[in-house]
Amino acid sequence: MTSQQQSTRLQDAIWEGTVPLDIRLSPQECRTYDKSDPYLIQYPRLSYLPFLLPRLHAFFTPFLIDPDTAPHGGWFSYEDIPLKWHYPLGLLYDLFSGAPPAQIDDADKDHHSSPSRRPSTLPWRLTLHFTDWPGDQLVQPDAEGKVLHDAFINSVKEADFLRNGTAKGI
């Protein structure tokens, strides 16, 4: 196999990659004694978690103690660690899940490989919060999405600079 074919397969695996998520409402914000139902989704590795907030807010509204909270005020944590919302999901998963790195050859195989090969970190269980924003660790996005847009454009400029030595084209 040529390096061009390997590169193409790797790019395809990256663009088509997803992470199964098990998102649960924080117990401190849930009005039921028992936990609320989890929100299960297969989400693209290259996407950002804040894009899920309106859908998650609508799903968890019946369980929220304060259903009037704003959807953009939500934040995610993994094992009580706030997740940086301006990082793509795939990067967050790779940093925090403890799963072993994937091999290039894995791109050929069925995504539903045997349980002995797949880490037990799937689905990745995240906790959703709508209160107690960790302002010392996270920048809070705005309702219009301008902060998220600016963070994305900044990361594109950084990537363009690393690749081309300049970001003037952006």
Side-chain angles (χ1 to χ4, degrees):
M1 179 176 307
T2 68
S3 65
Q4 178 63 31
Q5 289 172 327
Q6 281 183 332
S7 177
T8 301
R9 286 181 38 222
L10 182 59
Q11 286 176 349
D12 289 344
I14 290 170
W15 280 105
E16 296 169 4
T18 59
V19 177
L21 298 177
D22 175 349
I23 302 172
R24 297 172 185 265
L25 185 61
S26 171
Q28 291 83 10
E29 300 177 37
C30 188
R31 72 171 60 193
T32 58
Y33 176 73
D34 205 5
K35 295 185 249 178
S36 64
D37 295 333
Y39 188 88
L40 304 172
I41 188 170
Q42 191 84 11
Y43 203 62
R45 288 180 57 90
L46 293 176
S47 192
Y48 296 85
L49 287 171
F51 293 135
L52 278 175
L53 287 174
R55 192 181 324 176
L56 291 171
H57 186 271
F59 179 81
F60 287 118
T61 295
F63 302 105
L64 284 170
I65 291 175
D66 182 11
D68 296 329
T69 59
H72 71 276
W75 57 281
F76 298 88
S77 67
Y78 174 70
E79 295 182 355
D80 297 325
I81 300 170
L83 298 177
K84 306 262 187 220
W85 56 263
H86 57 282
Y87 291 163
L89 173 66
L91 175 62
L92 292 171
Y93 177 76
D94 293 343
L95 289 173
F96 291 103
S97 72
Q103 301 297 321
I104 293 176
D105 294 339
D106 288 346
D108 289 351
K109 297 179 181 158
D110 184 20
H111 294 291
H112 305 290
S113 58
S114 67
S116 63
R117 287 194 34 85
R118 273 288 165 214
S120 61
T121 57
L122 294 175
W124 196 33
R125 181 180 271 186
L126 302 179
T127 304
L128 175 63
H129 308 264
F130 284 101
T131 59
D132 301 326
W133 184 271
D136 58 332
Q137 297 174 25
L138 298 177
V139 175
Q140 191 163 6
D142 58 337
E144 296 84 32
K146 291 179 182 177
V147 175
L148 179 61
H149 177 265
D150 290 346
F152 177 76
I153 293 298
N154 187 51
S155 67
V156 169
K157 286 182 177 181
E158 288 174 355
D160 190 46
F161 182 82
L162 288 174
R163 185 173 188 190
N164 301 317
T166 182
K168 290 183 180 179
I170 305 275

